Amino acid sequence: MLKRVHFPTSLLPYLLVAPQVIITLVFFVWPASQAVYQSFLIEDAFGISTEFVWFENFSYLASDEQYLGTFGRTIFFSVCVAVLSMSAALLLAGFADRIVRGATTYRTLLIWPYAVAPVLAGALWVFMFNPTLGIFPYILEFVGIDWNHYLNGSHAMMLVIFAAAWKQIAYNFLFYLAAMQSIPRSLIEAAAIDGAGPVRRFWDHIFPLVSPTTFFLLVINAVYAFFDTFGIIHAVTQGGPANATTILVYKVYNDGFVGLDLGGSAAQSVILMVLVIAMTVVQFRYVERKVEY
Amino acid sequence: MKLSRTLLAGTAAFALTASAAVAQTEISWWHAMGGTNGERVNKIAADFNASQGDYVVVPTYKGNYTETMTAAVAAFRAGEQPHLVQVFEVGTATMMAAKGAIYPIEQMMADSGEPFDGSAYLPAVVSYYQTPEGELLSMPFNSSTPVLWYNADALKAAGASVPETWDDVKTAAQALVDNGMDCGFSFGWQSWVMIENFSAWHDLALGTQENGFTGFDTEFTFNNEQVAARLQEIADMQKDKLFVYGGRRGDSLPMFTNGECGMWMNSSAYYGSIVSQAEFEFGQTMLPLDTAVASAPQNSIIGGATLWALQGHEADEYKGLSKFMTYLSSAEVQAWWHQETGYVPITTAAADLSAEQGFYESNPGTDTAIKQLSLNTPTANSRGLRFGNFVQIRDVINEEMEALWAGSISAEQALDNAAERGNALLRKFERTAN
């Protein structure tokens, strides 16, 4: 009897998913395959002479010390950005969760930076930290720090890490706050009755209970640091000094759009694509299943 | 009834203007001049459009130099290229290697029956953009050369004179710092100023094959002991703040204009910015001579950008473009452009006209760039340079020099690294260029 109600095969379901499939094909699959094809070519900027070289662009990258250095730097940068912005957000969310009076104002103010475009965020930090005109180098001089991110690679790296982390705090804050507010009040109150102070309650109850959010944010922040920080780096350091802040995605841009080496740049973006796919798989397969409470 | 008649008349008038617009041939010009210079570009185009009725030049700002070049390349690949595009000097080798994409200016003008006299142009300006046989490939538009800018008040207060040699620079920098300044001198565009121009100024080769002019199989030779010795001494001068590094391009300009550094080596085209920002007496003089390398300076080389015609348009459009090239090189337009911007004029007539108009007398020092460029007949070492992938190579040089200023490597090592990494990029270019 049940089989009778089964829908007859019709075009309708295909039509309904068609827009999504077409969008994916046109805006993802097609450009991605173009990038893969381009990564097998060595050609001049205008595309007049083209040579098909199979994996030469990739083997060049594998032997290029600059590229390998960029890899390590990207990982360092991403870990710093994720840890810094997530811990700051966790702390702020922890406080915001306890606040009763003026909570909305407080929260709105904390969410604001998220609305700032990366390039603008970068520009703000550039002005504040300009070695000649900025306010921070002026203050730092009193404690004996000669700030110059144009010259000092560590200064430049710190600057882009701070700028990128600052930008992401708002986003992390939103998720942490939502996670904390979904924790049943009774649980926290019970702990309070048992004599646990705010710090104890945070570490023993709230922190473990928001751990799924932490893992989710970890992946999101890693992806953010890997790909979305281009605007900040472009505005603040342009990858310098001496490549100290060139991360993978910036090198793709630099080699492709500045250097007009399209094959080499495409090969790098193919590697990046593989990385994103791997991260997504890890998130869905591993992290989401493991985190339980 | 009356209303519909007015409407009709209006429509007819509109149709008339529309057809008049269609009859004019449109010529697109992509450029990289933002801000005030962008307005000047628009003025040049508007004046040309007003001077005749057959062609309309439409200038479009496409972002900075790299963005404009990338936009033109992408447009060409999509078959939507403009007629004319402004490309900076380091993109020259990339452009000229793309034989199917560019239309050499001299040839275009000959094909269009437009007279062209190569000898009217300043040799140091056009030689950068000629084939070894002397054919002009692109039209110089905004050209400048590095000069030594100095804070006249600060030098006077420190009792130092305007430097002529590198020893003088050191003495003056010491005097400035002793007198309480935070920085003796600085410079921007370091590859251009301290490697490319330092070499040309002292008649040293940057690379084999006449700096790349006669073949793509060129290799860098700037990692010689003369350049290394000069850079090492500058790096050592950082200890006492005689030299302070202030970033790439023009990033160090505020250090000079706010009175932190007493001397600054960078493009003569910063004239406009310095006039508006500096609250002290300033001057410009020729680049210092390294007496350990040469007894007299050769000539400096230019930077800036030229206009390239791109293939794939109608003959009539190229005819209009040729007429525009003639207009652009006229003495009046060039003298105006030169006096407004600080870029050097591209023709001798424009320089003479500026002198006649008394511009150099009322603005002392503004002829420094022209003097430097035309000091001697350019040699194979001082004609310019033509290296492929040079946009990336400049970055490599920047990176290695920054490592030198940071004290992590010696000058010799920085130059060797830069030459080695640069050569790898040259080989990559050579493969696709043929």
Side-chain angles (χ1 to χ4, degrees):
Chain A
M1 197 57 197
L2 205 74
K3 279 188 180 166
R4 292 264 166 127
V5 204
H6 210 83
F7 291 108
T9 22
S10 82
L11 266 175
L12 187 67
Y14 297 99
L15 276 176
L16 290 176
V17 294
Q20 185 58 48
V21 172
I22 291 170
I23 286 174
T24 314
L25 283 177
V26 171
F27 290 105
F28 179 69
V29 177
W30 182 60
S33 59
Q34 285 286 311
V36 172
Y37 173 64
Q38 186 85 53
S39 70
F40 293 136
L41 304 177
I42 287 185
E43 62 176 0
D44 74 298
F46 288 90
I48 293 165
S49 70
T50 305
E51 195 185 332
F52 192 85
V53 293
W54 284 110
F55 291 97
E56 199 186 317
N57 284 323
F58 291 95
S59 59
Y60 177 80
L61 287 177
S63 62
D64 182 10
E65 274 176 39
Q66 296 289 325
Y67 185 68
L68 300 177
T70 310
F71 239 102
R73 199 176 299 125
T74 309
I75 291 169
F76 174 77
F77 172 77
S78 305
V79 169
C80 288
V81 168
V83 168
L84 200 64
S85 71
M86 283 170 66
S87 48
L90 185 63
L91 188 74
L92 290 169
F95 285 123
D97 191 33
R98 289 164 47 83
I99 265 182
V100 184
R101 204 177 287 252
T104 336
T105 323
Y106 187 53
R107 270 176 235 160
T108 312
L109 284 176
L110 277 170
I111 293 161
W112 263 3
Y114 193 59
V116 179
V119 182
L120 290 184
L124 285 177
W125 288 76
V126 163
F127 281 122
M128 288 191 297
F129 280 89
N130 184 304
T132 318
L133 308 167
I135 178 78
F136 280 101
Y138 179 74
I139 296 170
L140 286 171
E141 222 174 274
F142 291 111
V143 287
I145 297 169
D146 188 10
W147 179 272
N148 190 348
H149 64 264
Y150 287 132
L151 185 58
N152 188 320
S154 322
H155 287 177
M157 189 48 133
M158 266 195 272
L159 184 56
V160 288
I161 287 174
F162 280 131
W166 172 77
K167 177 85 183 63
Q168 193 67 0
I169 286 175
Y171 181 88
N172 295 340
F173 170 79
L174 270 182
F175 276 86
Y176 269 132
L177 190 66
M180 285 176 191
Q181 290 186 335
S182 68
I183 296 172
R185 285 291 116 182
S186 54
L187 222 65
I188 307 296
E189 281 159 12
I193 291 167
D194 285 347
V199 178
R200 182 77 190 263
R201 289 205 294 275
F202 181 82
W203 286 115
D204 284 0
H205 296 89
I206 298 176
F207 188 64
L209 284 171
V210 297
S211 66
T213 308
T214 306
F215 278 100
F216 164 76
L217 286 178
L218 200 62
V219 175
I220 293 290
N221 278 272
V223 172
Y224 162 79
F226 260 70
F227 302 100
D228 285 352
T229 46
F230 171 83
I232 289 177
I233 292 181
H234 193 51
V236 178
T237 60
Q238 276 147 21
N243 265 343
T245 51
T246 301
I247 64 168
L248 289 169
V249 68
Y250 200 78
K251 196 164 160 61
V252 170
Y253 160 80
N254 218 25
D255 289 2
F257 289 88
V258 180
L260 296 172
D261 170 14
L262 299 179
S265 173
Q268 294 176 32
S269 59
V270 167
I271 293 173
L272 273 177
M273 188 156 70
V274 172
L275 275 178
V276 184
I277 294 172
M279 275 200 236
T280 318
V281 168
V282 167
Q283 192 203 342
F284 279 108
R285 276 289 166 86
Y286 191 72
V287 174
E288 293 220 329
R289 212 182 289 164
K290 274 281 160 84
V291 180
E292 274 164 24
Y293 53 91
Chain B
M1 190 65 205
K2 199 173 179 187
L3 180 80
S4 69
R5 198 176 297 162
T6 337
L7 254 176
L8 202 70
T11 322
F14 177 75
L16 267 173
T17 46
S19 66
V22 169
Q24 285 185 315
T25 309
E26 208 175 280
I27 294 161
S28 51
W29 173 18
W30 288 5
H31 65 85
M33 305 264 85
T36 337
N37 280 347
E39 286 160 27
R40 291 178 185 133
V41 164
N42 290 339
K43 182 178 150 52
I44 293 176
D47 289 354
F48 171 74
N49 294 342
S51 73
Q52 43 76 51
D54 297 334
Y55 305 98
V56 180
V57 171
V58 184
T60 313
Y61 173 61
K62 281 282 168 183
N64 66 28
Y65 284 141
T66 14
E67 286 161 357
T68 304
M69 184 168 169
T70 309
V73 166
F76 184 83
R77 294 176 78 112
E80 302 281 334
Q81 69 273 29
H83 297 83
L84 191 65
V85 61
Q86 186 186 15
V87 174
F88 56 168
E89 87 282 6
V90 289
T92 304
T94 305
M95 295 301 287
M96 70 169 287
K99 288 207 175 63
I102 56 150
Y103 198 170
I105 288 287
E106 198 169 332
Q107 194 192 331
M108 176 187 82
M109 292 181 78
D111 292 351
S112 310
E114 187 75 17
F116 173 83
D117 176 16
S119 62
Y121 296 84
L122 286 176
V125 175
V126 285
S127 61
Y128 204 112
Y129 305 105
Q130 282 169 326
T131 59
E133 292 75 42
E135 189 199 17
L136 187 64
L137 294 167
S138 59
M139 181 61 81
F141 180 56
N142 56 319
S143 308
S144 65
T145 199
V147 294
L148 174 69
W149 295 95
Y150 58 87
N151 182 332
D153 290 346
L155 283 181
K156 202 170 160 191
S161 53
V162 177
E164 283 172 13
T165 67
W166 272 100
D167 293 335
D168 294 349
V169 169
K170 193 174 180 180
T171 318
Q174 186 69 58
L176 290 168
V177 171
D178 288 346
N179 199 35
M181 272 186 123
D182 287 336
C183 149
F185 76 98
S186 190
F187 44 68
W189 285 103
Q190 50 185 350
S191 167
W192 183 53
V193 176
M194 287 312 303
I195 306 275
E196 297 158 40
N197 266 292
F198 182 83
S199 298
W201 197 235
H202 298 93
D203 204 12
L204 301 167
L206 283 164
T208 57
Q209 293 288 5
E210 301 193 7
N211 284 352
F213 271 68
T214 52
F216 291 123
D217 53 338
T218 168
E219 295 214 333
F220 286 119
T221 56
F222 60 68
N223 51 334
N224 51 47
E225 48 187 276
Q226 291 95 328
V227 180
R230 175 45 49 212
L231 293 186
Q232 190 60 56
E233 191 179 344
I234 294 173
D236 295 341
M237 281 160 80
Q238 289 186 116
K239 191 161 47 79
D240 302 320
K241 297 220 166 212
L242 302 190
F243 165 70
V244 176
Y245 177 65
R248 300 182 184 184
R249 292 173 293 273
D251 287 350
S252 48
L253 173 68
M255 292 165 69
F256 177 67
T257 51
N258 70 12
E260 202 173 313
C261 293
M263 293 175 284
W264 190 57
M265 274 169 251
N266 212 338
S267 165
S268 57
Y270 281 102
Y271 179 68
S273 309
I274 296 176
V275 166
S276 63
Q277 291 171 27
E279 287 168 0
F280 49 81
E281 281 292 313
F282 65 88
Q284 52 177 313
T285 185
M286 290 206 202
L287 290 172
L289 179 74
D290 193 332
T291 44
V293 181
S295 52
Q298 172 56 36
N299 64 284
S300 64
I301 55 179
I302 57 168
T306 57
L307 305 175
W308 291 81
L310 296 178
Q311 291 280 12
H313 298 286
E314 305 292 323
D316 182 48
E317 293 162 10
Y318 288 121
K319 201 168 172 186
L321 187 52
S322 302
K323 287 197 184 307
F324 181 55
M325 291 295 100
T326 307
Y327 176 80
L328 196 66
S329 343
S330 69
E332 291 75 24
V333 175
Q334 278 301 315
W336 173 79
W337 174 251
H338 160 55
Q339 295 172 21
E340 289 274 314
T341 59
Y343 287 115
V344 295
I346 59 173
T347 60
T348 2
D352 293 346
L353 182 64
S354 297
E356 263 173 49
Q357 291 168 342
F359 177 68
Y360 304 126
E361 270 170 40
S362 45
N363 302 280
T366 44
D367 55 347
T368 310
I370 306 172
K371 275 192 196 152
Q372 261 185 202
L373 286 169
S374 44
L375 199 60
N376 290 297
T377 313
T379 67
N381 295 334
S382 72
R383 176 163 49 167
L385 48 108
R386 193 156 299 157
F387 301 113
N389 276 337
F390 202 63
V391 184
Q392 277 167 300
I393 293 171
R394 266 213 180 145
D395 269 346
V396 164
I397 294 174
N398 274 326
E399 288 159 16
E400 296 298 339
M401 286 178 85
E402 279 168 351
L404 164 65
W405 309 137
S408 43
I409 50 176
S410 70
E412 200 187 331
Q413 210 176 345
L415 289 170
D416 285 346
N417 291 350
E420 192 193 321
R421 290 173 60 194
N423 284 336
L425 286 162
L426 286 179
R427 294 294 72 78
K428 209 169 176 177
F429 182 75
E430 191 185 355
R431 276 183 70 170
T432 57
N434 294 309

